């Protein structure tokens, strides 16, 4: 008899869907497995207002396949011009989950990001008072800081002081990549949590660089050394509710990845829950997958846990080499590689 595991339908607490024609492929890819997802606002132009977010929200809902229940939770793009009034307006709209802090220049479409965190004290105080979460891309962008050290420096220089000044601000350090990030989140109070991506759990920088550069493994924050990967794995497998699923799935066309200056991002949505299952399976911890994927994020954000379920079957399959979206090829993360579990 084929082995199966059934558990609460998971959520994706960090997702890039892009916009317009691409939504016809990215929305169904996530809706097949996730009930809710936090939608990143780094479009061009960025989603900085409630009105822009709600228009984007409707474009996403229009692409949800019939028979599937998928709720996009909208994040607004924090800028140097974001006001206390903007925070209050977002807090009053249940479709808005929080604000995303991108340090200017840290990743794809982040040019409009924050240039002076300390100048936003009033904004952070309003978020703390109104219980509006802050979702953080935690990297400095100084040219003299090694790319492998950017997260660690950001935590010391900005995140720890921010948490000390605003201890009741609900703060999520997104797509963590280092032991230092794990230690910060684990030691902080209950208002601090972190998301972890499949690529940072399943790979380290050797997988991207040894034997030739593999552009489809290039993401930001960049893959780190094996010791950091192991720290992330321990956090995900620990059952600590501060750590939960956030794919950071970020689609780029094949030609944009395989270029002289390739884009950062791994398109993991076509096999997301199966990728996470691979890690838990490898470590004989399938009993811990439900908490990480389906419970801890909802609990942290103060949302009800999902009541429907999904089933994974122990049925080895190979992630396709390419998927077509709106007439363009996209290479998914883990392309041409086997996975032991499959969503049915």
């Amino acid at each position: 008899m084929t082995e199966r595991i059934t558990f609460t339908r998971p959520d994706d607490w960090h997702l890039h869907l892009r916009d317009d024609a691409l939504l016809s492929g990215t929305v169904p890819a996530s809706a097949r497995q996730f009930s809710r997802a936090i939608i990143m606002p780094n479009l061009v132009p960025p989603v900085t207002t409630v009105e822009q977010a709600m228009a984007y929200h409707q474009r996403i809902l229009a692409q949800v396949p019939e028979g599937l229940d998928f709720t996009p939770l909208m994040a607004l793009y924090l800028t140097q011009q974001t006001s206390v009034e903007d925070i209050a307006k977002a807090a009053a709209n249940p479709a808005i989950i929080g604000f995303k802090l991108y340090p200017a220049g840290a990743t794809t479409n982040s040019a409009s990001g924050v240039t002076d965190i300390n100048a936003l004290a009033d904004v952070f105080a309003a978020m703390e008072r109104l219980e509006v979460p802050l979702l953080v891309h935690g990297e400095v962008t100084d040219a003299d800081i090694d790319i492998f050290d950017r997260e660690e420096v950001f935590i010391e220089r900005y995140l720890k002081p921010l948490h000390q000044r605003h201890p009741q601000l609900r703060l999520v350090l997104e797509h963590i990549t280092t032991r230092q990030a794990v230690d910060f989140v684990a030691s902080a109070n209950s208002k601090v949590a972190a998301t972890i991506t499949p690529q940072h759990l399943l790979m380290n920088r050797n997988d991207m660089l040894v034997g030739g550069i593999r552009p489809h493994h290039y993401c930001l924050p960049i893959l780190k050394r094996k010791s950091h990967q192991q720290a992330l794995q321990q956090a995900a497998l620990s059952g600590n509710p501060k750590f939960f699923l956030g794919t950071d799935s970020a689609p780029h066309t094949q030609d944009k990845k395989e270029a002289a200056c390739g884009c950062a991002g791994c398109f993991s949505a076509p096999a997301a829950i199966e990728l996470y299952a691979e890690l838990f399976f490898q470590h004989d911890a399938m009993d811990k997958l439900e908490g990480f994927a389906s419970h801890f994020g909802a609990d942290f954000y103060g949302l009800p846990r999902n009541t429907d379920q999904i089933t994974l079957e122990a049925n080895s399959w190979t992630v396709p080499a390419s998927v077509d979206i709106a007439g363009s090829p996209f290479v998914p993360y883990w392309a041409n590689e086997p996975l032991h579990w499959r969503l049915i």
Side-chain angles (χ1 to χ4, degrees), residues 17-158:
L17 291 175
R18 309 308 184 202
D19 202 359
D20 300 324
L22 293 186
L23 295 177
S24 66
T26 59
V27 173
S30 290
R32 64 182 269 273
Q33 56 201 306
F34 298 113
S35 180
R36 297 170 290 207
I38 294 182
I39 311 304
M40 292 297 106
N42 58 332
L43 304 181
V44 180
V47 180
T48 58
T49 69
V50 170
E51 291 77 13
Q52 289 172 329
M54 296 314 296
Y56 186 26
H57 184 266
Q58 289 303 307
R59 296 195 297 275
I60 294 168
L61 289 178
Q63 297 298 332
V64 176
E66 186 176 354
L68 291 180
D69 184 15
F70 180 72
T71 301
L73 302 167
M74 312 308 292
L76 296 184
Y77 195 116
L78 190 73
T79 74
Q80 215 62 48
Q81 288 71 48
T82 300
S83 67
V84 171
E85 291 73 24
D86 294 328
I87 304 301
K89 193 170 184 179
N93 191 315
I96 308 297
I97 194 72
F99 281 77
K100 181 63 184 282
L101 190 165
Y102 291 105
T107 189
T108 302
N109 299 339
S110 63
S112 300
V114 171
T115 56
D116 185 356
I117 290 176
N118 295 326
L120 293 173
D122 290 346
V123 167
F124 295 136
M127 295 179 71
E128 183 177 28
R129 183 176 69 255
L130 296 172
E131 298 185 345
V132 176
L134 178 66
L135 288 57
V136 180
H137 182 118
E139 291 188 288
V140 297
T141 57
D142 310 51
D144 61 333
I145 302 296
D146 190 288
I147 190 170
F148 293 102
D149 297 330
R150 287 180 170 188
E151 182 174 272
E152 179 182 0
V153 172
F154 183 92
I155 291 169
E156 292 297 325
R157 185 183 295 178
Y158 297 114

Side-chain angles (χ1 to χ4, degrees), residues 139-140 145-153 177-180 204-206 208-209 218-225 228:
E139 291 188 288
V140 297
I145 302 296
D146 190 288
I147 190 170
F148 293 102
D149 297 330
R150 287 180 170 188
E151 182 174 272
E152 179 182 0
V153 172
T177 65
T178 60
R179 180 176 295 279
Q180 288 80 7
N204 58 64
R205 63 189 187 184
N206 277 4
M208 180 178 62
L209 297 172
Y218 172 58
C219 57
L220 291 173
I222 200 164
L223 297 173
K224 303 301 194 296
R225 65 172 65 245
H228 292 297

Side-chain angles (χ1 to χ4, degrees), residues 35-339:
S35 180
R36 297 170 290 207
I38 294 182
I39 311 304
M40 292 297 106
N42 58 332
L43 304 181
V44 180
V47 180
T48 58
T49 69
V50 170
E51 291 77 13
Q52 289 172 329
M54 296 314 296
Y56 186 26
H57 184 266
Q58 289 303 307
R59 296 195 297 275
I60 294 168
L61 289 178
Q63 297 298 332
V64 176
E66 186 176 354
L68 291 180
D69 184 15
F70 180 72
T71 301
L73 302 167
M74 312 308 292
L76 296 184
Y77 195 116
L78 190 73
T79 74
Q80 215 62 48
Q81 288 71 48
T82 300
S83 67
V84 171
E85 291 73 24
D86 294 328
I87 304 301
K89 193 170 184 179
N93 191 315
I96 308 297
I97 194 72
F99 281 77
K100 181 63 184 282
L101 190 165
Y102 291 105
T107 189
T108 302
N109 299 339
S110 63
S112 300
V114 171
T115 56
D116 185 356
I117 290 176
N118 295 326
L120 293 173
D122 290 346
V123 167
F124 295 136
M127 295 179 71
E128 183 177 28
R129 183 176 69 255
L130 296 172
E131 298 185 345
V132 176
L134 178 66
L135 288 57
V136 180
H137 182 118
E139 291 188 288
V140 297
T141 57
D142 310 51
D144 61 333
I145 302 296
D146 190 288
I147 190 170
F148 293 102
D149 297 330
R150 287 180 170 188
E151 182 174 272
E152 179 182 0
V153 172
F154 183 92
I155 291 169
E156 292 297 325
R157 185 183 295 178
Y158 297 114
L159 208 56
K160 286 183 177 179
L162 178 64
H163 181 49
Q164 290 171 354
R165 290 193 299 267
H166 304 281
Q168 296 305 304
L169 173 62
R170 194 172 295 275
L171 189 156
V172 183
L173 184 53
E174 304 278 22
H175 44 51
I176 59 172
T177 65
T178 60
R179 180 176 295 279
Q180 288 80 7
V182 170
D183 291 343
F184 166 71
V185 172
S187 62
N189 68 23
S190 61
K191 297 294 184 178
V192 177
T195 58
I196 313 181
T197 75
Q199 63 265 27
H200 291 106
L201 289 169
L202 293 170
M203 288 184 174
N204 58 64
R205 63 189 187 184
N206 277 4
D207 297 295
M208 180 178 62
L209 297 172
V210 172
I213 296 174
R214 293 169 175 80
H216 297 287
H217 299 164
Y218 172 58
C219 57
L220 291 173
I222 200 164
L223 297 173
K224 303 301 194 296
R225 65 172 65 245
K226 186 175 182 179
S227 60
H228 292 297
Q229 178 195 10
Q230 291 171 332
L232 300 179
Q233 291 174 341
Q234 291 167 5
L237 298 166
S238 69
N240 186 333
K242 285 172 162 279
F243 301 97
F244 44 83
L245 186 156
T247 64
D248 194 21
S249 179
H252 296 280
T253 54
Q254 184 171 355
D255 65 311
K256 294 291 180 62
K257 293 288 291 182
E258 300 172 7
C261 186
C263 294
C266 295
F267 183 35
S268 58
I273 194 61
E274 294 99 332
L275 287 161
Y276 284 106
E278 189 72 15
L279 172 80
F280 285 79
F281 174 72
Q282 289 175 1
H283 291 267
D284 193 25
M286 290 296 284
D287 60 314
K288 298 289 184 67
L289 177 60
E290 183 176 36
F292 177 83
S294 309
H295 293 166
F296 300 157
D299 295 347
F300 179 82
Y301 279 103
L303 297 172
R305 294 179 179 181
N306 298 319
T307 56
D308 54 338
Q309 297 180 315
I310 64 168
T311 297
L312 295 175
E313 182 176 82
N315 183 6
S316 185
W317 63 292
T318 300
V319 176
S322 178
V323 296
D324 182 276
I325 302 177
S328 296
F330 290 75
V331 176
Y333 178 65
W334 215 254
N336 295 313
E337 296 295 330
L339 289 171

